[in-house]
Amino acid sequence: GFLAPGQLLTLFGARLGPREGVAGSPDPVTGKFPAAVAGTHVWFDGYPAPLLYVGYNQVNLQAPFELAGRAATRMVVTIDGLDPVEATLPLREASPGVFTLDGTRAAALNQNGTLNGPQNPAERGSIVQLFLTGQGLFDPPLETGVPSPSTPPFPAPLLPVRVTLDGQEAPVAFAGAAPGLIGLTQVNVEIPRGLRPSLEVNVSVLVGLHPAARRVTLAVR
């Protein structure tokens, strides 16, 4: 698939970091995540990527916002004492992915703040919160590796966000950077009152002209 500026992503491999995983420690003043953890760095066209976690087989990071406008980027992973690894990745303005609990079920919150699921469906007419990454740039802009503001106004994706539930348009009450986090967009969606109840309502998200590829479901009663 494609990579988008500001997107959260995970690299998998071997000898990417220490056998005991290490979480990136944000700067106590700025909150910015570090570009180096346990001797591991990741660069995109020379821009350092903020690292959230580094382990032997896995690195969690954010793609720099500075990549906006490019068709591709050269990623270089450097680990102390080892030769660097390089790869070319395609880019586009947005490449949305909705967070899930098990690969299919949306990691969504019902209006009362409880986790949505087959044992706890959302009511029709209520608001649910969805979370996605790969939304692209924000307005006002966010700095790479720095959490979004914890108080309003919250930056909004430059590209419009649309959501359909089982093919039916669902009004988006809010789409903005998730407060206090990086690379994450929160989307508050109203469940249409005319929607057919189901424990597996199909959720489709579109950012600009770019759809989320993975099938995601929501429980509605």
Side-chain angles (χ1 to χ4, degrees):
F2 289 83
L3 186 65
Q7 185 173 19
L8 297 177
L9 67 149
T10 298
L11 306 180
F12 295 103
R15 295 190 295 174
L16 296 174
R19 290 193 178 275
E20 292 293 331
V22 180
S25 297
D27 184 279
V29 176
T30 65
K32 187 171 185 176
F33 280 82
V37 174
T40 297
H41 301 72
V42 182
W43 309 83
F44 292 87
D45 293 343
Y47 294 104
L51 305 181
L52 286 71
Y53 171 85
V54 171
Y56 188 79
N57 298 112
Q58 177 178 333
V59 176
N60 298 346
L61 54 91
Q62 182 189 30
F65 284 113
E66 290 84 354
L67 300 179
R70 305 179 188 216
T73 181
R74 191 68 173 167
M75 180 184 70
V76 179
V77 182
T78 62
I79 299 100
D80 286 353
L82 300 175
D83 292 334
V85 178
E86 301 185 14
T88 298
L89 304 175
L91 286 166
R92 65 184 183 193
E93 57 184 352
S95 184
V98 180
F99 283 89
T100 67
L101 297 173
D102 56 8
T104 301
R105 203 153 45 93
L109 297 179
N110 294 334
Q111 186 164 313
N112 61 4
T114 59
L115 189 64
N116 180 273
Q119 307 303 320
N120 190 33
E123 299 279 354
R124 288 175 291 175
S126 68
I127 301 290
V128 295
Q129 297 177 22
L130 303 173
F131 299 92
L132 60 92
T133 190
Q135 71 294 307
L137 299 181
F138 287 97
D139 182 27
L142 288 173
E143 183 181 350
T144 299
V146 175
S148 64
S150 297
T151 56
F154 301 113
L158 275 180
L159 298 174
V161 178
R162 288 182 56 206
V163 178
T164 60
L165 301 178
D166 276 352
Q168 187 171 338
E169 193 81 20
V172 174
F174 169 82
L181 301 173
I182 72 167
L184 195 65
T185 293
Q186 176 181 325
V187 181
N188 297 354
V189 180
E190 181 182 342
I191 299 176
R193 294 185 182 277
L195 187 70
R196 179 181 61 85
S198 171
L199 298 182
E200 293 189 353
V201 170
N202 286 307
V203 181
S204 297
V205 175
L206 195 72
V207 178
L209 300 176
H210 308 293
R214 175 176 288 181
R215 178 178 181 263
V216 177
T217 64
L218 194 69
V220 176
R221 63 184 174 195

